[in-house]
Amino acid sequence: MNQQHMNSKEGPIGVFDSGYGGLTILENFRKTLPGYDYLYLGDNARAPYGNRSFDLVYEFTRQAVMYLFEQGCSLVILACNTASAKALRSIQQIDLPQLDPSLRVLGVLRPTVEALGSLTKTRHVGLVGTPGTILSGSYPIEIHKLFPDIVLTGEACPMWVPLVENGEYDSDGAAFFVKKSLKNLFDKDKDIDTLVLGCTHYPLLLPQIRRFVPRDVRVISQGEYVAESLKGYLSRHPEMKQHCTTGGTCTFLTTESESKFEESASMFVKRTIKAKHVRLG
Ligand code: DGL
């Protein structure tokens, strides 16, 4: 990668997800920080990432981040738990030091974890996510850095992302798989009072999830916490803020077909959007 290309310039905030789930985060960014320009990239052609190996998730995410940097982004948010859990650390530690030191990549785990400390009373927290996120062990590592007293119990839900990606989030099939995974989770720990939706696709399953979660359990969608965290980050880092343009626009890129993205994205974003096809790798 030519370092000259990377040198900090003004541009939109990059938002990356394997597919459509990151749109739930982007919508919160637009609500909390409406003035900025955003460039969303969905690697829909290679999604889902949830069952993929560490090496592949890292390689695909790295390609996406480099692409967003080339488009002028100085700040990229991995709006994907799987990519945040499996690729963020390597990108921060291996790739960024070789590029322009003013470029930044942030993930969704840390802001979610930071919010937990004041939300759980029993100190028993449940986590649902893709197999990649759960098996990576990244959530327990992050949680125990900040709150060593929290007991975290995770449940991998391999069927949930495919159900959402295929528009089946409201179906009886979705109810079956949501009920099954949540039963497994609450059977493992009955003291859970806070459930983290550790996948950016899961907010679409929220009505189903609420049906099968004990009434007194608080369900945490990440979007608002990640958006508040980005707001705080930008106010603490004026040097980054000045690289982020403020036209209030939102541009959508996908590695799949434009028409498919435009149609499916409407499940996540309740307005008509235009997408542009791009190739990664
Ligand atoms: N949206 C991604 C996440 O937050 C998962 C989707 C996938 O499996 O690719 O983990």
Side-chain angles (χ1 to χ4, degrees):
M1 186 61 57
N2 180 347
Q3 181 136 350
Q4 213 117 50
H5 270 107
M6 292 298 180
N7 273 340
S8 29
K9 27 187 182 182
E10 289 201 348
I13 296 173
V15 182
F16 169 69
D17 183 43
S18 58
Y20 302 105
L23 295 170
T24 63
I25 302 287
L26 178 68
E27 285 304 273
N28 279 279
F29 288 166
R30 284 168 53 90
K31 218 187 287 168
T32 305
L33 296 160
Y36 288 97
D37 293 312
Y38 297 96
L39 181 57
Y40 185 89
L41 171 56
D43 189 9
N44 303 82
R46 301 188 292 194
Y49 282 10
N51 292 313
R52 291 192 184 275
S53 68
F54 178 94
D55 286 349
L56 266 187
V57 173
Y58 168 47
E59 183 50 27
F60 289 174
T61 305
R62 199 183 63 83
Q63 289 170 0
V65 166
M66 294 304 153
Y67 187 88
L68 288 168
F69 285 158
E70 284 169 28
Q71 305 312 301
C73 303
S74 291
L75 174 62
V76 173
I77 313 295
L78 302 184
C80 174
N81 288 264
T82 310
S84 300
K86 296 179 97 165
L88 179 62
R89 188 180 297 247
S90 303
I91 288 174
Q92 286 175 335
Q93 292 178 357
I94 301 169
D95 298 294
L96 291 186
Q98 298 172 27
L99 302 169
D100 179 337
S102 69
L103 299 171
R104 286 284 175 280
V105 182
L106 306 175
V108 288
L109 266 63
R110 184 73 184 210
T112 309
V113 166
E114 279 171 354
L116 279 178
S118 58
L119 295 174
T120 169
K121 299 281 174 281
T122 62
R123 313 310 275 171
H124 286 245
V125 171
L127 171 71
V128 281
T130 65
T133 297
I134 301 296
L135 295 175
S136 73
S138 297
Y139 264 99
I141 291 170
E142 288 299 326
I143 286 179
H144 291 139
K145 273 189 215 158
L146 297 183
F147 310 110
D149 61 322
I150 288 183
V151 177
L152 182 74
T153 304
E155 178 70 20
C157 308
M159 294 302 293
W160 291 17
V161 167
L163 283 163
V164 172
E165 291 265 326
N166 288 292
E168 293 288 335
Y169 53 90
D170 231 0
S171 66
D172 292 347
F176 174 85
F177 286 107
V178 167
K179 183 179 178 186
K180 184 174 171 197
S181 298
L182 290 175
K183 181 174 181 329
N184 289 345
L185 178 69
F186 285 93
D187 280 353
K188 285 188 267 189
D189 185 352
K190 301 210 174 351
D191 294 328
I192 292 169
D193 71 347
T194 306
L195 174 67
V196 177
L197 303 188
C199 173
T200 53
H201 282 69
Y202 293 177
L204 270 81
L205 290 165
L206 202 50
Q208 301 275 23
I209 291 168
R210 285 202 201 284
R211 285 176 61 193
F212 302 112
V213 161
R215 205 168 291 216
D216 49 349
V217 169
R218 185 199 287 255
V219 181
I220 308 291
S221 281
Q222 301 174 295
E224 59 183 287
Y225 300 104
V226 177
E228 278 306 319
S229 171
L230 177 60
K231 189 176 174 183
Y233 177 84
L234 289 170
S235 66
R236 287 193 311 278
H237 293 276
E239 77 289 356
M240 178 53 73
K241 192 174 167 165
Q242 75 185 10
H243 291 307
C244 301
T245 51
T246 51
T249 66
C250 202
T251 306
F252 297 90
L253 308 176
T254 176
T255 55
E256 244 283 1
S257 92
E258 294 167 354
S259 56
K260 181 163 186 328
F261 185 91
E262 287 162 4
E263 191 192 320
S264 300
S266 65
M267 293 188 298
F268 295 80
V269 181
K270 302 287 178 228
R271 62 181 184 282
T272 309
I273 60 159
K274 282 263 151 239
K276 184 171 169 284
H277 172 79
V278 296
R279 233 176 254 286
L280 296 178

